[in-house]
Amino acid sequence: MTHTISVLVENEFGVLSRVAALFSGRGFNIDSLAVAPTNDEAISRITLVTRGDEQILEQITKQLNKLIDVIKVIDFTDGSAIEREMALVKVSAEDDSRTEVLRIVDIFRAKIIDVTPKSYTIEATGAPAKIDAILELLRPLGLKELVRTGAVAIGRGSKGWKG
């Protein structure tokens, strides 16, 4: 099962490496990782996606809470969050495929942010499943390059680090 975990940490040197070391030292894989400051400059949010059963999630949460710089660990696996990801996709855009690429971009409400005679660069934002879906349609047209941010999540309603 996939788990999205938000970890609020003190914005201090080395915190990210300690969190990553916790995962690698216990043999847990991080599928995606996003880190940025919050509205409080002293606090950063680490959003990570990992896989495992409930027992593994419980172990990860307990270990994260033991780290000195960790303020709060929030598990968003139960669907209590809004989750988004951004992808930049460079795709072939030869004469015969340009129309199809434009149609796919329109369907997914993505944007073309760069055009060359032989390629389009597309910006797509949405839930990770939406990003997977647009990539599945673009791949046969000639996916040249892909960059994904990894998921970020925020609690719905009052669920979150201050709620």
Side-chain angles (χ1 to χ4, degrees):
M1 179 176 198
T2 300
H3 302 279
T4 302
I5 302 169
S6 183
V7 186
L8 291 160
V9 297
E10 293 176 21
N11 195 2
E12 298 288 333
F13 176 78
V15 173
L16 178 59
S17 66
R18 286 190 286 283
V19 170
L22 182 149
F23 274 78
S24 66
R26 285 159 184 80
F28 301 138
N29 191 39
I30 298 173
D31 291 340
S32 77
L33 177 70
V35 184
T38 65
N39 54 325
D40 180 342
E41 291 180 11
I43 299 173
S44 288
R45 179 187 301 261
I46 300 172
T47 305
L48 54 90
V49 178
T50 189
R51 295 174 199 256
D53 58 25
E54 291 302 318
Q55 185 179 13
I56 288 174
L57 178 65
E58 185 178 337
Q59 186 179 2
I60 289 170
T61 302
K62 285 179 181 176
Q63 295 296 319
L64 284 169
N65 278 312
K66 287 181 183 179
L67 294 176
I68 294 170
D69 297 316
V70 170
I71 298 166
K72 187 169 186 176
V73 178
I74 306 165
D75 172 20
F76 286 130
T77 306
D78 62 1
S80 60
I82 300 163
E83 197 171 327
R84 293 294 181 262
E85 183 175 355
M86 184 184 72
L88 298 176
V89 186
K90 191 177 294 180
V91 64
S92 293
E94 302 292 333
D95 291 336
D96 57 336
S97 65
R98 283 183 180 272
T99 304
E100 182 66 13
V101 172
L102 291 171
R103 200 163 43 108
I104 293 168
V105 166
D106 185 49
I107 289 168
F108 283 88
R109 295 189 189 127
K111 298 177 198 170
I112 295 179
I113 58 172
D114 188 53
V115 177
T116 70
K118 296 195 181 238
S119 70
Y120 286 146
T121 301
I122 300 161
E123 175 188 320
T125 306
K130 176 184 174 182
I131 302 301
D132 291 340
I134 193 171
L135 292 175
E136 185 177 319
L137 293 174
L138 291 172
R139 201 166 259 115
L141 300 174
L143 199 127
K144 291 181 164 191
E145 193 173 350
L146 168 64
V147 180
R148 291 178 79 157
T149 61
V152 292
I154 191 166
R156 292 183 183 275
S158 64
K159 176 141 184 178
W161 70 290
K162 289 192 175 186

